[in-house]
Coordinates of all heavy atoms in Angstrom, one line a residue:
V130 N 11.4 -2.6 2.7 CA 11.3 -2.9 4.1 C 10.6 -4.2 4.2 O 9.5 -4.5 3.7 CB 10.3 -1.8 4.9 CG1 10.1 -2.3 6.4 CG2 10.9 -0.4 4.7
V131 N 11.3 -5.3 4.8 CA 10.7 -6.6 4.9 C 9.7 -6.8 6.0 O 10.1 -6.6 7.2 CB 11.9 -7.6 5.0 CG1 11.3 -9.1 5.0 CG2 12.9 -7.4 3.8
L132 N 8.5 -7.2 5.7 CA 7.5 -7.5 6.7 C 6.9 -8.8 6.5 O 6.5 -9.2 5.4 CB 6.4 -6.3 6.5 CG 6.7 -4.9 6.7 CD1 5.5 -4.0 6.4 CD2 7.2 -4.7 8.1
P133 N 6.7 -9.6 7.6 CA 6.0 -10.9 7.5 C 4.6 -10.6 7.2 O 4.1 -9.4 7.5 CB 6.2 -11.4 8.9 CG 7.4 -10.7 9.5 CD 7.4 -9.4 9.0
P134 N 3.8 -11.5 6.7 CA 2.4 -11.2 6.3 C 1.6 -10.6 7.3 O 0.9 -9.6 7.0 CB 2.0 -12.6 5.9 CG 3.2 -13.3 5.4 CD 4.2 -12.9 6.3
A135 N 1.5 -11.1 8.5 CA 0.7 -10.6 9.6 C 1.1 -9.1 10.0 O 0.2 -8.3 10.1 CB 0.7 -11.5 10.8
R136 N 2.3 -8.9 10.0 CA 2.8 -7.5 10.3 C 2.4 -6.6 9.1 O 2.1 -5.3 9.4 CB 4.3 -7.5 10.6 CG 4.8 -6.2 11.0 CD 6.3 -6.2 11.4 NE 6.8 -4.9 11.6 CZ 8.2 -4.7 11.7 NH1 9.0 -5.7 11.8 NH2 8.6 -3.5 11.9
A137 N 2.6 -7.0 7.9 CA 2.3 -6.2 6.8 C 0.7 -5.7 6.9 O 0.4 -4.6 6.6 CB 2.5 -6.9 5.5
L138 N -0.1 -6.7 7.3 CA -1.5 -6.3 7.5 C -1.7 -5.3 8.5 O -2.5 -4.4 8.4 CB -2.3 -7.6 7.8 CG -2.8 -8.4 6.7 CD1 -3.5 -9.7 7.2 CD2 -3.8 -7.6 5.8
A139 N -0.9 -5.3 9.6 CA -1.0 -4.3 10.7 C -0.5 -3.0 10.3 O -1.0 -2.0 10.9 CB -0.3 -4.9 11.9
E140 N 0.5 -2.9 9.5 CA 1.3 -1.7 9.3 C 1.0 -0.9 8.0 O 1.1 0.3 7.9 CB 2.7 -2.0 9.4 CG 3.2 -2.4 10.8 CD 4.7 -2.5 11.0 OE1 5.4 -2.0 10.2 OE2 5.1 -3.2 12.0
L141 N 0.7 -1.7 6.9 CA 0.5 -1.0 5.6 C -0.8 -0.4 5.4 O -1.8 -0.8 6.0 CB 0.8 -2.0 4.5 CG 2.2 -2.7 4.5 CD1 2.3 -3.6 3.3 CD2 3.3 -1.6 4.4
R142 N -0.8 0.8 4.7 CA -2.0 1.6 4.5 C -2.1 1.9 3.0 O -1.2 1.7 2.2 CB -1.9 2.9 5.3 CG -1.9 2.7 6.7 CD -3.1 2.2 7.5 NE -3.0 2.0 8.8 CZ -2.6 1.0 9.5 NH1 -2.3 -0.1 8.9 NH2 -2.6 1.0 10.8
P143 N -3.3 2.3 2.6 CA -3.5 2.8 1.2 C -2.4 3.8 0.9 O -2.1 4.7 1.7 CB -4.9 3.4 1.2 CG -5.7 2.7 2.2 CD -4.6 2.4 3.3
G144 N -1.9 3.7 -0.4 CA -0.7 4.6 -0.7 C 0.7 3.8 -0.6 O 1.6 4.2 -1.2
D145 N 0.7 2.7 0.2 CA 1.9 1.9 0.3 C 1.9 0.8 -0.8 O 0.8 0.5 -1.4 CB 1.9 1.2 1.6 CG 2.1 2.1 2.8 OD1 2.7 3.1 2.6 OD2 1.6 1.8 3.9
V146 N 3.0 0.3 -1.0 CA 3.1 -0.8 -2.1 C 3.7 -2.0 -1.4 O 4.7 -1.9 -0.7 CB 4.1 -0.4 -3.2 CG1 4.2 -1.4 -4.2 CG2 3.7 0.9 -3.9
A147 N 3.0 -3.2 -1.6 CA 3.4 -4.4 -1.0 C 3.8 -5.4 -2.2 O 3.1 -5.6 -3.1 CB 2.3 -5.1 -0.2
L148 N 5.1 -5.8 -2.1 CA 5.6 -6.8 -3.0 C 5.6 -8.2 -2.5 O 6.4 -8.5 -1.5 CB 7.1 -6.4 -3.5 CG 7.8 -7.2 -4.3 CD1 7.1 -7.5 -5.7 CD2 9.3 -6.8 -4.6
G149 N 4.9 -9.1 -3.0 CA 4.8 -10.4 -2.5 C 6.1 -11.3 -2.9 O 6.5 -11.3 -4.1
R150 N 6.8 -11.7 -1.8 CA 8.0 -12.5 -2.1 C 8.0 -13.8 -1.2 O 8.9 -14.4 -0.8 CB 9.2 -11.7 -1.7 CG 9.5 -10.5 -2.7 CD 10.4 -10.9 -3.8 NE 11.7 -11.3 -3.3 CZ 12.6 -11.8 -4.1 NH1 12.4 -12.0 -5.4 NH2 13.8 -12.2 -3.7
L151 N 6.7 -14.4 -1.0 CA 6.6 -15.6 -0.4 C 7.2 -16.7 -1.2 O 7.0 -16.7 -2.5 CB 5.1 -15.9 0.0 CG 4.5 -15.0 0.9 CD1 2.9 -15.2 0.9 CD2 5.1 -15.0 2.3
D152 N 8.0 -17.6 -0.7 CA 8.8 -18.6 -1.5 C 8.2 -20.0 -1.4 O 7.2 -20.3 -0.6 CB 10.2 -18.6 -0.9 CG 11.2 -19.0 -2.1 OD1 10.8 -19.6 -3.1 OD2 12.4 -18.7 -2.0
V153 N 8.8 -21.0 -2.0 CA 8.5 -22.3 -1.9 C 8.9 -22.8 -0.5 O 9.9 -22.4 0.0 CB 9.2 -23.2 -2.9 CG1 9.0 -24.6 -2.8 CG2 8.6 -22.8 -4.4
L154 N 8.1 -23.8 0.1 CA 8.5 -24.5 1.4 C 9.8 -25.2 1.2 O 10.0 -25.8 0.2 CB 7.3 -25.2 1.9 CG 6.1 -24.5 2.4 CD1 5.0 -25.6 2.6 CD2 6.4 -23.8 3.7
P155 N 10.6 -25.2 2.3 CA 11.8 -26.1 2.3 C 11.4 -27.6 2.0 O 12.2 -28.3 1.5 CB 12.4 -25.9 3.6 CG 11.9 -24.6 4.1 CD 10.6 -24.4 3.5
T156 N 10.2 -28.0 2.4 CA 9.8 -29.3 2.1 C 9.3 -29.6 0.7 O 9.0 -30.7 0.4 CB 8.7 -29.8 3.1 OG1 7.6 -28.6 3.2 CG2 9.1 -29.9 4.6
L157 N 9.3 -28.5 -0.1 CA 8.8 -28.6 -1.4 C 7.4 -29.1 -1.7 O 7.1 -29.6 -2.8 CB 9.8 -29.5 -2.3 CG 11.3 -29.2 -2.1 CD1 12.1 -30.2 -2.9 CD2 11.6 -27.8 -2.4
D158 N 6.6 -28.9 -0.8 CA 5.1 -29.4 -0.9 C 4.2 -28.3 -1.0 O 3.0 -28.4 -0.6 CB 4.8 -30.4 0.2 CG 5.0 -29.9 1.6 OD1 5.6 -28.7 1.7 OD2 4.7 -30.6 2.6
G159 N 4.6 -27.1 -1.3 CA 3.7 -25.9 -1.5 C 4.4 -24.7 -1.2 O 5.7 -24.6 -1.2
M160 N 3.6 -23.6 -1.1 CA 4.3 -22.3 -1.0 C 4.1 -21.9 0.5 O 3.2 -22.4 1.3 CB 3.4 -21.3 -1.8 CG 4.0 -19.8 -1.8 SD 3.1 -18.8 -3.2 CE 1.5 -18.6 -2.3
E161 N 5.0 -21.0 1.0 CA 4.9 -20.6 2.4 C 3.6 -19.9 2.7 O 3.0 -19.4 1.9 CB 6.1 -19.5 2.5 CG 7.5 -20.1 2.4 CD 8.5 -18.9 2.6 OE1 8.3 -17.9 2.1 OE2 9.6 -19.2 3.1
A162 N 3.4 -20.1 3.9 CA 1.9 -19.6 4.4 C 2.1 -18.1 4.4 O 3.1 -17.4 4.5 CB 1.7 -20.0 5.9
G163 N 0.8 -17.5 4.3 CA 0.7 -16.1 4.4 C 0.2 -15.3 3.1 O 0.0 -14.1 3.1
S164 N -0.1 -16.1 2.1 CA -0.6 -15.5 0.8 C -2.0 -14.8 1.0 O -2.3 -13.8 0.2 CB -0.6 -16.6 -0.3 OG -1.5 -17.6 0.0

């Protein structure tokens, strides 16, 4: 189930598993926000 970072914080609970898949920014100057 794909969740943006802020939504993941609101919906996930102990017992759930969150897989980080934040990527590189299209501008190539860092990682997407939300880590």
Side-chain angles (χ1 to χ4, degrees):
V130 179
V131 181
L132 298 176
R136 185 175 168 190
L138 274 177
E140 297 188 11
L141 298 183
R142 300 288 183 269
D145 295 333
V146 179
L148 173 64
R150 292 270 298 173
L151 299 168
D152 207 342
V153 170
L154 288 166
T156 48
L157 309 181
D158 54 356
M160 189 170 70
E161 291 176 327
S164 59

